[in-house]
């Protein structure tokens, strides 16, 4: 098997693995052939935010797969076409703030052509699309502002050391000055209306650990 054949095989295998997930999986979305540009951007926002909450390294939006049965039906969707006088993907990327990063590729599956958006998770703050953030709740896409608990959780999650697990570490291993600085830096990146909530959460967590 050549390297190109292995590459194709890997992507077909990825599609088949994703098809095994339940329709309630919040970081994977299947679409038959409904590829309205606004909807694509909203789903990327919802999926990247959901992947953050579920600690998933990637989220996926797939076109060419029946939503209920997950049967591969194929799609004529071309992600490289234009939206009006602008290319579709740059238009979507411009609307994502911050841009989580995503890759688009086509898969020549035996059941039909599949278009895959492979999306990185949100880090440290929710991802919005042209000013509005979305989230997956079960199999439904909804605005993130309707779920303040989920929005607050995303603000506390990032790629910094405070999000990592140190095996066998205890409170005695923490440097008080470093903890104070990390807490200050984390709070400085959060809007004022979130700061009081997070500060109280941190204080409560430390109190429980010390008791």
């Amino acid at each position: 098997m050549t390297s190109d054949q292995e590459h194709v095989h890997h992507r077909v295998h990825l599609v088949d693995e994703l098809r095994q997930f339940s329709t309630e999986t919040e970081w994977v979305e299947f679409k038959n052939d409904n590829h309205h540009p606004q909807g694509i951007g909203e789903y990327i926002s919802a999926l990247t935010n959901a992947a953050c909450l579920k600690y998933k390294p990637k989220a996926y939006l797939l076109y060419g797969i029946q939503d209920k049965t997950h049967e591969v039906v194929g799609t004529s969707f071309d992600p490289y076409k234009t939206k009006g006088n602008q290319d579709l993907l740059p238009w979507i990327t411009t609307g994502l703030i911050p841009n989580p990063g995503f890759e688009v590729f086509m898969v020549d599956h035996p059941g039909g052509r599949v278009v895959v958006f492979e999306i990185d998770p949100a880090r440290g703050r929710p991802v919005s699309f042209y000013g509005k953030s979305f989230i997956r709740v079960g199999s439904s896409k909804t605005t993130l502002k309707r779920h303040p608990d989920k929005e607050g959780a995303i603000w506390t999650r990032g790629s910094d050391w405070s999000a990592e697990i140190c095996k066998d570490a205890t409170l005695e291993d923490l440097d008080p000055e470093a903890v104070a600085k990390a807490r200050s830096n984390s709070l400085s990146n959060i809007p004022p209306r979130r700061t009081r909530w997070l500060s109280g959460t941190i204080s409560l967590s430390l109190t429980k650990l010390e008791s």
Side-chain angles (χ1 to χ4, degrees):
M1 183 181 293
T2 66
S3 59
D4 287 344
Q5 289 174 325
E6 289 180 354
H7 193 59
V8 171
H9 177 76
H10 170 74
R11 289 185 167 178
V12 169
H13 181 67
L14 172 64
V15 169
D16 286 339
E17 279 192 328
L18 294 172
R19 290 169 58 212
Q20 304 306 311
F21 286 104
S22 161
T23 55
E24 299 293 317
T25 302
E26 296 178 344
W27 48 276
V28 181
E29 173 69 17
F30 301 99
K31 290 293 183 185
N32 186 344
D33 211 25
N34 182 7
H35 43 78
H36 188 274
Q38 180 69 27
I40 295 173
E42 291 181 3
Y43 268 110
I44 291 176
S45 169
L47 292 164
T48 184
N49 290 330
C52 172
L53 291 175
K54 297 295 183 181
Y55 295 101
K56 297 298 180 181
K58 300 290 182 181
Y60 293 91
L61 173 60
L62 299 92
Y63 287 90
I65 296 181
Q66 213 284 328
D67 181 39
K68 300 298 182 183
T69 65
H70 296 180
E71 176 186 0
V72 178
V73 294
T75 180
S76 60
F77 172 38
D78 179 6
Y80 297 101
K81 68 179 182 180
T82 60
K83 179 190 181 298
N85 59 356
Q86 186 176 1
D87 289 342
L88 175 62
L89 295 182
W91 178 80
I92 291 174
T93 301
T94 299
L96 293 168
I97 299 178
N99 179 11
F102 63 89
E103 179 184 0
V104 183
F105 51 87
M106 272 67 73
V107 179
D108 292 323
H109 191 279
R113 179 174 173 272
V114 178
V115 175
V116 180
F117 285 73
E118 186 177 67
I119 309 157
D120 291 334
R123 298 186 185 278
R125 61 171 293 182
V127 173
S128 64
F129 184 63
Y130 285 105
K132 187 177 292 186
S133 299
F134 296 85
I135 190 67
R136 280 286 299 278
V137 179
S139 60
S140 300
K141 170 172 64 70
T142 184
T143 55
L144 185 58
K145 69 178 182 180
R146 298 178 62 182
H147 300 273
D149 56 330
K150 295 181 183 294
E151 184 177 4
I154 293 173
W155 279 107
T156 68
R157 296 182 187 177
S159 57
D160 62 299
W161 64 267
S162 62
E164 302 296 328
I165 297 176
C166 299
K167 187 177 179 180
D168 300 325
T170 67
L171 286 175
E172 285 70 27
D173 297 314
L174 299 178
D175 180 83
E177 291 185 8
V179 172
K181 183 175 181 180
R183 180 188 296 176
S184 175
N185 289 343
S186 296
L187 293 176
S188 67
N189 293 324
I190 298 175
R193 63 192 180 94
R194 303 285 176 207
T195 303
R196 181 180 299 176
W197 171 85
L198 180 57
S199 180
T201 301
I202 293 173
S203 298
L204 178 60
S205 298
L206 290 176
T207 299
K208 288 183 177 180
L209 284 172
E210 293 168 348
S211 61

